[in-house]
Amino acid sequence: MKRWHILLLIGLAGVASLLLAGFEQLAPGMQFSLAMRLLMLIQPAILTVAAVSVGQALAAKVGLGAPLVDAWLQGGSLRTILRRQMPPALLVGLAVSLLMITYVRVILPSVTDAVTMAKMTAFPVPLTTRILYGGITEELLTRWGLMSFFAWALWRLSGKGEVRPAILWAAIVLAAALFAAGHLPLLFTIAAQPQPSLIITILLANFIPGLLFGWLFWRRGLEAAIFSHAFAHCVNALAS
């Protein structure tokens, strides 16, 4: 249960970092009190508890895990785990950051109008929130929780034999698709009737990183996906 507590603690730290986000930009003229902000954290907090619990129960059954946390708890070699996780995590993070930069500077302006573009880029999300919520909590929700569940469910449906790569890839795709769809509510808050091209662009811009982070989770462990996601946000922030 120690791993559950550690993952839950860092996941909820990411949820708490949402207090730093400038939600006022989404509703000009509306004041967000501390009480209102705390109420807004209830849903993501519940989802985080659920995702951490699901991953704790199911991930190991389909060959997924958090090897760095486990090594730390069991007194194993953290250096050995990091040597295996960090190179691919950094490479994927760099690729995702380049995709994010291209998306914001080139692709997004070509598929949306100036007003919507201004609204989308005006919503301030501090780097702390991007790292803690985006890098950690989102990975716990989508990879540790959803991807582990999809892989386990598909494995069960296949007869509980060997966990074949096709099962893991299907779980990666499903989790990445939901990860991408999870970004649409914010879009519809900003633009009531966004163009189909804008919707598709946003879906792809989040689906592709989801595939890469899912692959990292499968091949290198949860921490690799977290490191990569957080690193992508750091590079993107430096380039902004």
Side-chain angles (χ1 to χ4, degrees):
M1 288 297 289
K2 288 184 179 180
R3 180 176 63 185
W4 184 87
H5 287 98
I6 292 171
L7 295 181
L8 181 61
L9 181 63
I10 61 175
L12 292 179
V15 172
S17 74
L18 291 173
L19 291 170
L20 303 174
F23 293 107
E24 292 83 358
Q25 298 295 327
L26 296 177
M30 183 176 179
Q31 296 297 319
F32 286 82
S33 65
L34 178 59
M36 185 180 297
R37 287 176 175 272
L38 290 174
L39 286 174
M40 293 172 64
L41 302 187
I42 293 176
Q43 183 183 36
I46 292 173
L47 291 175
T48 300
V49 173
V52 171
S53 300
V54 168
Q56 178 74 13
L58 303 180
K61 295 182 178 181
V62 289
L64 301 172
L68 187 63
V69 173
D70 290 344
W72 179 55
L73 291 173
Q74 298 164 13
S77 174
L78 300 183
R79 183 176 299 180
T80 300
I81 302 297
L82 286 171
R83 283 177 178 172
R84 188 168 185 269
Q85 288 184 332
M86 292 306 291
L90 294 177
L91 285 174
V92 168
L94 181 60
V96 170
S97 67
L98 293 176
L99 173 63
M100 293 165 66
I101 293 168
T102 303
Y103 162 72
V104 172
R105 295 185 179 180
V106 179
I107 301 175
L108 196 58
S110 68
V111 296
T112 188
D113 58 87
V115 175
T116 302
M117 180 70 183
K119 290 181 179 179
M120 293 179 67
T121 55
F123 179 49
V125 181
L127 181 58
T128 301
T129 303
R130 297 183 196 181
I131 293 173
L132 293 179
Y133 187 82
I136 297 176
T137 306
E138 284 188 349
E139 289 306 309
L140 289 171
L141 291 170
T142 54
R143 252 58 69 179
W144 187 246
L146 283 175
M147 183 176 150
S148 295
F149 171 75
F150 287 138
W152 173 82
L154 292 170
W155 171 65
R156 288 284 301 243
L157 290 173
S158 69
K160 297 175 64 175
E162 179 185 358
V163 183
R164 300 187 304 275
I167 291 175
L168 275 304
W169 274 115
I172 289 171
V173 170
L174 289 170
L178 284 179
F179 173 70
H183 289 76
L184 291 182
L186 179 60
L187 171 63
F188 283 98
T189 300
I190 295 171
Q193 295 181 324
Q195 294 293 324
S197 58
L198 177 58
I199 295 174
I200 293 172
T201 297
I202 289 177
L203 288 174
L204 287 176
N206 290 284
F207 177 73
I208 294 172
L211 292 179
L212 296 173
F213 297 144
W215 177 83
L216 281 172
F217 175 37
W218 171 30
R219 305 302 297 177
R220 294 295 187 271
L222 174 66
E223 301 89 356
I226 289 174
F227 292 147
S228 187
H229 198 153
F231 180 64
H233 282 300
C234 290
V235 175
N236 189 47
L238 289 174
S240 299

